Amino acid sequence: EPLETEPATRTTERRGREPRRTPAGRRWTQGRGRVVSMIAHVVLFKPKHDLSAAERQTVIDDLQSAASAIPTVRGFRVGRRIRHGHPGYEQLMREDFEYVVIIEFDDVAGLSAYLAHPKHAAIGSHFMQAAEAALAYDYEMEDWTAKKS
């Protein structure tokens, strides 16, 4: 069943903070009123062990440049893996991806524009040369903390 767009202005209440508005006033629905609040481009990254400081800095600079230069990017988050030591899934992971990049878009068209942008090409060339291993996936994300309007 294809996604349909509906014009909407949606505000979500967040404890102790200002209300958050969905960018571009768009709501994506499918089926029984499910709200897809964004598209997430998720990249898991394990850098090469022998990566020089200059090569690391080039990857960081390219990521920061893309975050600010590509207009369809709604959010751009970079993180480093933490280990909590509790038994369970942490010990079951076969591959140790030290870093994650999560890039948010309003819709698939925004993701497509990002992937076609020259700044993304710069990231891709340095990123793959610096990676021992990497995974990239795209997801439709639902905000389960948002109150239904």
Side-chain angles (χ1 to χ4, degrees), residues 26-82:
R26 295 169 68 103
R27 177 174 29 198
W28 293 85
T29 63
Q30 181 178 27
R32 298 182 314 182
R34 178 173 74 97
V35 176
V36 177
S37 60
M38 70 163 167
I39 302 297
H41 179 63
V42 179
V43 180
L44 299 173
F45 180 72
K46 180 179 184 179
K48 290 180 180 175
H49 293 292
D50 60 350
L51 201 61
S52 72
E55 290 169 318
R56 283 182 187 265
Q57 191 59 50
T58 299
V59 172
I60 291 167
D61 291 346
D62 286 346
L63 288 170
Q64 289 174 336
S65 178
S68 61
I70 302 175
T72 60
V73 171
R74 175 173 29 161
F76 201 108
R77 303 169 201 277
V78 178
R80 190 170 192 174
R81 183 173 178 205
I82 61 166

Side-chain angles (χ1 to χ4, degrees), residues 131-143:
E132 182 175 315
L135 296 173
Y137 294 99
D138 303 307
Y139 298 91
E140 291 179 330
M141 302 298 292
E142 297 178 29
D143 185 352

Side-chain angles (χ1 to χ4, degrees), residues 4-128:
E4 301 173 27
T5 60
E6 296 176 6
T9 301
R10 190 158 161 228
T11 303
T12 59
E13 299 298 322
R14 298 178 345 161
R15 291 180 203 107
R17 296 188 225 165
E18 289 292 315
R20 177 178 51 166
R21 292 189 148 326
T22 55
R26 295 169 68 103
R27 177 174 29 198
W28 293 85
T29 63
Q30 181 178 27
R32 298 182 314 182
R34 178 173 74 97
V35 176
V36 177
S37 60
M38 70 163 167
I39 302 297
H41 179 63
V42 179
V43 180
L44 299 173
F45 180 72
K46 180 179 184 179
K48 290 180 180 175
H49 293 292
D50 60 350
L51 201 61
S52 72
E55 290 169 318
R56 283 182 187 265
Q57 191 59 50
T58 299
V59 172
I60 291 167
D61 291 346
D62 286 346
L63 288 170
Q64 289 174 336
S65 178
S68 61
I70 302 175
T72 60
V73 171
R74 175 173 29 161
F76 201 108
R77 303 169 201 277
V78 178
R80 190 170 192 174
R81 183 173 178 205
I82 61 166
R83 288 171 180 77
H84 48 69
H86 295 282
Y89 69 88
E90 191 173 80
Q91 293 77 24
L92 297 174
M93 297 299 108
R94 293 181 183 166
E95 188 80 43
D96 182 17
F97 291 98
E98 187 176 0
Y99 297 96
V100 64
V101 178
I102 301 173
I103 307 167
E104 301 168 355
F105 304 92
D106 286 333
D107 50 32
V108 175
L111 169 62
S112 295
Y114 164 80
L115 293 172
H117 197 281
K119 292 285 185 182
H120 178 264
I123 293 171
S125 68
H126 292 119
F127 208 73
M128 294 317 292

